[in-house]
Amino acid sequence: MKFIHIADVHLGAQPDAGPAYTEKRPEELWAAFEHVVGVCRTERTDLLLIAGDLFHRQPLLRELKEVNYLFSTLSHTQVVLIAGNHDYIKKDSYYRTFRWCENVHTLFGKGLECVEFDELQTAVYGLSYHSREIREPLYNAAAPEGRQKYEILLAHGGDDRHIPIDWENLERAGFSYVALGHIHKPRSVRGDRMVYAGALEPIDCNDAGSHGYVGGEITEKGIRTRRVSCASREYINLEIQVDEDDTSGSVKERIRDHIREYGEENIYKITLKGGRSSEIFFHTERMKDWGNVLEIVDETHPAYDFDRMLRENEGNLIGAYIAGFAGCTRDSEEYQALCEGVEALLENRGRV
């Protein structure tokens, strides 16, 4: 039995995208979803498992019609989905009344439900959110009921406010596979059997790294899964080290080199580190005019020669301030305070 497991598609979101992609990023979320449906069609996947947050908020009726059309193009694939904390089932949600095509199976109850596929010898269990937060560990009692040879759990959550999960207990329950959603970073909890697919496309700068879906196969020999990257772009966090010879221009050119190396299609958050010349101020906004940069954070400090400055300022306020930090190391918070304090004193020297 072949399956594809996705989660946290967040259709309708307005992702952090930077100036180059702000307008088209929402459409790229739809394109990624359409791509997965296309893979199901091409590879004749048996099951498409959607572990919550297909939408970023309450789905619009026209959006459900678009999604349903895509599902209707799957002649071989059965679709099973649950609602997550973002697209939870409100009293007036279109989820409650929408009529899906025959190959779509929703597990929208507050408690555990099950849908069976005799031809696949497979049963899929799951429940849905009816509020933004669920603090009860609802999966603690989840267990396969022996309905089919292969039994899968669709689950969304795993933190204190969104259905906390006892992983050891869930592993002992004995599901063939647990398809997890809610955590945007792809990861395995218990080998191949309990897996967070991660966000299909990254939504904000915290979703660094590659994203896509999980392809799986269950056979007599057990389960085998693989991660398939398909996101159109990644969020990349870069640290750039500077020294006393750097200027805004040289750092800007280094940023360009890194973006060329890692890919111009990606979205960057850049942090400047190290010691700069005390005469230099980095104009970070001017460094963002090439590539797709969300933010540049300047965490550099002036590279002062404090031994020399202490000798030159013996007996005045600057010298006393430097002496008060004797022995602090360059990577300490005290050193950062020393640099910031000296910089302030030097700027106000005429008034000290």
Side-chain angles (χ1 to χ4, degrees):
M1 192 275 292
K2 295 191 300 182
F3 65 86
I4 283 179
H5 162 205
I6 63 175
D8 301 287
V9 183
H10 288 281
L11 298 175
Q14 297 284 334
D16 294 339
Y21 298 115
T22 295
E23 293 184 3
K24 63 174 137 176
R25 263 312 265 165
E27 291 304 315
E28 290 177 347
L29 304 186
W30 281 90
F33 179 63
E34 290 174 6
H35 171 77
V36 171
V37 173
V39 172
C40 289
R41 190 165 48 243
T42 301
E43 297 185 356
R44 293 180 62 79
T45 302
D46 296 307
L47 279 180
L48 173 58
L49 304 169
I50 304 176
D53 285 353
L54 176 58
F55 293 91
H56 188 64
R57 34 84 181 135
Q58 294 299 304
L60 305 176
L61 182 57
R62 61 177 173 79
E63 292 173 328
L64 288 176
K65 289 181 177 181
E66 294 288 352
V67 167
N68 196 46
Y69 168 74
L70 292 172
F71 290 154
S72 74
T73 66
L74 299 172
S75 60
H76 184 81
T77 305
Q78 300 293 322
V79 180
V80 187
L81 72 147
I82 60 175
N85 60 297
H86 277 265
D87 58 354
Y88 71 96
I89 301 175
K90 295 177 68 174
K91 290 182 179 180
D92 59 350
S93 172
Y94 286 116
Y95 270 152
R96 291 181 178 272
T97 56
F98 189 77
R99 296 184 62 180
W100 298 92
C101 53
E102 292 183 354
N103 64 323
V104 179
H105 311 271
T106 60
L107 301 174
F108 282 169
K110 292 182 179 180
L112 208 64
E113 300 178 335
C114 178
V115 59
E116 297 183 58
F117 305 98
D118 293 336
E119 70 279 11
L120 301 176
Q121 297 181 280
T122 299
V124 181
Y125 300 78
L127 56 83
S128 286
Y129 281 65
H130 286 242
S131 60
R132 289 186 183 276
E133 295 184 1
I134 302 177
R135 296 176 181 266
E136 295 77 28
L138 299 182
Y139 300 122
N140 277 6
E145 298 173 2
R147 299 183 181 215
Q148 296 287 346
K149 185 173 183 178
Y150 308 122
E151 299 193 289
I152 294 171
L153 175 65
L154 272 180
H156 189 91
D159 63 36
D160 291 342
R161 297 186 296 127
H162 305 95
I163 312 185
I165 297 175
D166 182 334
W167 298 112
E168 291 185 4
N169 180 69
L170 189 55
E171 184 177 32
R172 286 194 301 267
F175 287 101
S176 304
Y177 181 71
V178 179
L180 294 160
H182 181 61
I183 304 300
H184 285 195
K185 185 176 178 60
R187 66 184 178 96
S188 298
V189 180
R190 292 289 192 271
D192 287 341
R193 289 182 53 220
M194 300 168 65
V195 177
Y196 278 103
L200 185 61
E201 282 268 348
I203 304 300
D204 62 46
C205 60
N206 295 316
D207 297 344
S210 64
H211 287 263
Y213 61 88
V214 176
E217 184 176 14
I218 301 177
T219 68
E220 297 283 352
K221 297 180 181 179
I223 186 166
R224 181 177 60 187
T225 62
R226 72 189 191 283
R227 297 194 182 279
V228 181
S229 297
C230 68
S232 56
R233 39 192 114 255
E234 296 181 21
Y235 288 100
I236 296 179
N237 296 325
L238 285 179
E239 284 192 4
I240 295 182
Q241 291 291 325
V242 306
D243 59 32
E244 295 177 66
D245 294 327
D246 275 311
T247 64
S248 290
S250 66
V251 173
K252 181 177 181 178
E253 188 59 38
R254 203 173 311 154
I255 289 172
R256 289 181 176 180
D257 291 341
H258 279 80
I259 292 175
R260 290 189 186 104
E261 177 183 355
Y262 289 103
E264 295 178 31
E265 75 281 3
N266 294 318
I267 303 169
Y268 295 87
K269 177 180 177 181
I270 297 169
T271 305
L272 307 182
K273 298 272 191 177
R276 55 177 165 78
S277 168
S278 58
E279 289 82 25
I280 290 293
F281 174 79
F282 291 135
H283 298 276
T284 55
E285 287 302 313
R286 298 180 192 172
M287 300 176 183
K288 294 167 62 175
D289 62 356
W290 196 90
N292 196 43
V293 180
L294 277 179
E295 184 182 16
I296 299 177
V297 179
D298 185 1
E299 294 185 0
T300 64
H301 56 80
Y304 294 116
D305 183 347
F306 286 117
D307 290 336
R308 177 182 59 80
M309 292 184 69
L310 182 60
R311 292 192 301 270
E312 293 176 351
N313 292 277
E314 187 175 357
N316 65 24
L317 184 57
I318 294 175
Y321 186 81
I322 295 172
F325 287 87
C328 68
T329 59
R330 281 185 175 271
D331 57 353
S332 65
E333 293 183 4
E334 289 80 6
Y335 188 83
Q336 186 70 26
L338 171 60
C339 292
E340 292 174 358
V342 168
E343 188 169 22
L345 290 171
L346 289 173
E347 289 177 356
N348 293 277
R349 177 178 293 203
R351 297 189 293 272
V352 174

